[in-house]
Amino acid sequence: MRDFYENPAVPVASGPSRSLRQARMLARALGPAGASGPRTVLDIGCGDGTAAATAAPLLRGHRLIGVDWSQDALTRARTRLPYAVRGELGGGGLPFASGSADAVLFSEVLEHLVDPDAALDEIRRVLRPGGHLMLSTPNLAAWYNRALLLAGVQPVFSEVSLRSVHGRPGAEVVGHLRLYTARALREFVAASGFTVVTLEGAPFHGVPRVLRPLDRLACGAPSLASILLLHARRA
């Protein structure tokens, strides 16, 4: 898996619509820096830094730090972020003290992990009590995946190989190991010691242009949306 993610050809950024929606959710949760002073926000699995760079204008006054295990991704992230450090959710853990972060951005990472339970344990460790988790992940039960399964077609976002695409639309291998429905994601995050605040939907940039109005419409019902955006707080 390390070799896979160190390959510069592997995508390390997601669509801007999801990033902007998630950034707005976080900005509402944190509020302005103001008298409370800057808050520390970790973008864990920051990739090339585009999601954090999208969030930065909405989080002025707060401290935004990108974290990734891929040296190739960090090289690119440092062109967009003032702080980008190497860290991982397994092994030795993140290079931050317990309770040192006010919020964590966790964008399109969960679906790539071998051990998501340990990952949320580590995120919970670095968050202060009441700290915010902003998590996004593809929706296994997206509106078009329901139709594809009825037709006997492999769902979008799911992968059976790290070498090539088989049995589903698309041509890009991105390394997804796990997929969640809205219900499964809520239950999993709650079982990991978080209180779920809200769950919203976001469109997928890979949907064909002619279907994008329908994809945006599906965001009104998160269980049908392409992307799940979850806001939770450390219990």
Side-chain angles (χ1 to χ4, degrees), residues 56-140:
L58 301 176
L59 300 173
R60 295 191 188 280
H62 297 303
R63 185 182 303 107
L64 190 56
I65 303 172
V67 186
D68 209 289
W69 76 350
S70 166
Q71 293 291 2
D72 176 71
L74 287 172
T75 297
R76 287 182 270 175
R78 288 175 181 138
T79 67
R80 296 181 171 94
L81 301 174
Y83 307 105
V85 301
R86 193 176 188 281
E88 56 183 292
L89 291 161
L94 296 168
F96 302 100
S98 298
S100 59
D102 298 286
V104 164
L105 277 171
F106 201 46
S107 305
E108 316 298 303
V109 178
L110 191 64
E111 64 272 15
H112 298 267
L113 300 179
V114 173
D115 190 350
D117 302 273
L120 286 196
D121 286 346
E122 181 64 1
I123 288 173
R124 189 174 184 277
R125 181 189 70 79
V126 300
L127 277 174
R128 64 170 175 79
H132 303 276
L133 169 62
M134 297 291 175
L135 184 158
S136 69
T137 192
N139 182 10
L140 174 60

Side-chain angles (χ1 to χ4, degrees), residues 5-57:
Y5 288 112
E6 288 293 358
N7 181 354
V10 173
V12 290
S14 299
S17 180
R18 185 272 303 154
S19 298
L20 187 56
R21 287 176 185 237
Q22 191 174 37
R24 287 170 176 162
M25 290 172 68
L26 180 55
R28 288 196 300 268
L30 289 180
S36 62
R39 305 292 181 89
T40 297
V41 179
L42 306 180
D43 182 4
I44 298 177
C46 66
D48 66 2
T50 54
T54 299

Side-chain angles (χ1 to χ4, degrees), residues 1 4 6 13 18 24 61 68 73 76-77 79 82 94 118 126 131 140 156 158-159 181 185 199 211 230:
M1 292 302 294
F4 178 81
E6 288 293 358
R18 185 272 303 154
R24 287 170 176 162
D68 209 289
R76 287 182 270 175
T79 67
L94 296 168
V126 300
L140 174 60
V156 175
S158 66
E159 297 189 328
T181 64
L185 185 64
L199 182 68
L211 296 176
L230 182 139

